[in-house]
C-alpha cells in the first residue's frame, strides 16, 4: 500500500500484485503454440521439422534424447526483449523476480519434477557478473511451486566462449563436456532444468547429457523465453 507497483517495462502504474501495467501485461508474448519438443513457436501445435529429423537420427542409432521436452513460457519479443537483457546483464533483479513469477504461473500445471536445477554459470563468469541469472529465476520458481531446488548437482566445469557469438554448430562444439554432475550425490529421477533464454538449445542439451550420463532418468527444461 505504501509503495504501489510500477511497470518495469514502461514505468506506468502497475497492476495489483504484478510489476506490469495493463498494457504491457496484455502485450506479453506468451508461447502458447509451439513445438512439443523444443518449444519453437509454430503456426499450429505439433513437432517441428528439426526435432522430427533429430528423433529419426537417434532412433537409427537406438538412442533416446537426453532432454525430453522444453517448455518456453514466452517468445523472445517485446517487452521480454527489454526485460530479459536488463535482468541478465544489468543486475535488474526486480525484472528477474517478475519473470520468475510469470514463469511459475505458466508451468504450474505441468508434470511436477522431483527437483529444479538452474543451468549454472562457470565460476569465472559468475565472479564477473556477480549473480547467476538462472538461479535467480529458479529459486523463487521452486519456492512458489513447493519444489526442491538442487543447485548443488550440476557444475559448469569448462569456461566457454559466449554462445551469442557463435553459429549453431559452433555452439554445440563450444559446450562439449562443459557440464559435470558432482560425484557421490543421490540423484532425483525426474528433474527440470531452468534457464532464461533458449536459442538453439545447445546449452540445455549439453547440461541434460551430463545429467543423463550420471543416471537421471527424465529431464525436461523450463525457460523464460524462446528465440524464434
Amino acid at each position: 500500500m505504501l509503495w504501489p507497483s510500477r511497470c518495469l517495462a514502461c514505468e506506468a502504474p502497475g497492476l495489483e500484485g504484478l510489476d506490469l501495467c495493463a498494457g504491457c501485461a496484455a502485450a506479453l508474448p506468451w508461447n502458447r503454440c509451439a513445438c512439443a519438443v523444443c518449444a519453437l513457436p509454430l503456426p499450429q501445435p505439433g513437432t517441428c521439422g528439426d526435432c522430427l529429423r533429430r528423433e529419426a537420427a537417434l532412433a537409427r542409432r537406438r538412442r533416446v534424447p537426453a532432454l525430453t521436452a522444453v517448455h518456453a513460457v514466452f517468445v523472445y519479443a517485446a517487452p521480454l526483449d527489454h526485460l530479459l537483457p536488463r535482468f541478465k546483464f544489468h543486475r535488474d533483479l526486480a525484472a528477474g523476480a517478475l519473470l520468475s513469477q510469470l514463469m511459475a504461473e505458466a508451468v504450474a500445471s505441468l508434470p511436477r519434477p522431483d527437483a529444479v536445477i538452474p543451468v549454472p554459470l562457470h565460476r569465472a563468469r559468475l565472479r564477473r557478473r556477480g549473480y547467476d541469472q538462472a538461479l535467480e529465476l529458479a529459486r523463487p520458481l521452486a519456492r512458489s511451486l513447493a519444489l526442491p531446488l538442487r543447485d548443488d548437482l550440476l557444475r559448469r566445469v569448462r569456461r566457454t566462449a559466449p554462445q551469442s557469438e557463435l553459429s549453431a554448430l559452433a555452439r554445440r562444439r563450444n559446450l562439449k563436456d562443459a557440464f559435470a554432475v558432482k560425484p557421490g550425490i543421490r540423484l532425483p529421477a525426474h528433474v527440470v532444468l531452468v534457464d532464461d533464454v533458449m536459442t538453439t538449445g545447445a546449452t540445455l542439451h549439453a547440461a541434460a547429457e551430463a545429467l543423463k550420463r550420471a543416471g537421471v532418468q527424465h529431464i525436461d527444461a523450463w525457460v523464460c523465453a524462446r528465440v524464434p
Side-chain angles (χ1 to χ4, degrees):
M1 293 177 66
L2 294 176
W3 300 99
S5 66
R6 304 291 293 181
C7 179
L8 294 178
C10 73
E11 298 296 323
L15 297 170
E16 183 177 356
L18 189 69
D19 289 332
L20 284 175
C21 68
C24 289
L28 287 171
W30 298 98
N31 191 25
R32 294 194 171 101
C33 188
C35 173
V37 178
C38 74
L40 180 73
L42 295 176
Q44 59 186 23
T47 304
C48 73
D50 284 345
C51 286
L52 288 173
R53 286 188 289 272
R54 187 178 300 112
E55 289 175 352
L58 288 171
R60 287 194 296 270
R61 295 155 61 189
R62 298 184 179 180
R63 292 184 58 191
V64 295
L67 187 61
T68 303
V70 178
H71 302 279
V73 175
F74 298 108
V75 179
Y76 192 78
L80 269 293
D81 57 356
H82 297 293
L83 291 172
L84 268 169
R86 279 167 40 188
F87 165 52
K88 185 170 183 175
F89 301 114
H90 301 289
R91 295 177 178 264
D92 191 341
L93 299 184
L98 168 65
L99 296 171
S100 183
Q101 177 186 356
L102 295 169
M103 286 182 69
E105 294 171 3
V107 303
S109 62
L110 294 176
R112 295 175 66 84
D114 299 317
V116 170
I117 301 176
V119 175
L121 290 176
H122 188 270
R123 60 182 179 275
R125 189 165 298 169
L126 179 59
R127 282 196 301 269
R128 185 169 65 251
R129 186 173 295 173
Y131 63 101
D132 183 333
Q133 76 275 2
L135 178 59
E136 294 300 329
L137 285 175
R139 185 185 288 117
L141 176 63
R143 184 168 57 245
S144 175
L145 299 177
L147 293 170
L149 176 69
R150 296 298 304 271
D151 58 339
D152 60 324
L153 294 180
L154 190 64
R155 296 179 297 167
R156 198 160 189 150
V157 294
R158 190 166 61 79
R159 188 175 181 178
T160 56
Q163 290 288 89
S164 59
E165 302 173 1
L166 304 173
S167 67
L169 178 59
R171 286 174 186 236
R172 292 193 293 272
R173 290 173 175 168
N174 186 46
L175 287 160
K176 183 176 175 57
D177 299 324
F179 296 96
V181 174
K182 291 185 179 179
I185 298 179
R186 185 175 180 180
L187 298 172
H190 178 196
V191 304
V192 159
L193 289 163
V194 172
D195 209 356
D196 55 343
V197 179
M198 176 180 172
T199 304
T200 65
T203 300
L204 290 170
H205 281 281
E209 289 285 355
L211 289 165
K212 194 76 171 182
R213 287 194 301 269
V216 178
Q217 298 172 25
H218 189 109
I219 306 156
D220 295 321
W222 295 345
V223 299
C224 185
R226 177 66 157 92
V227 176

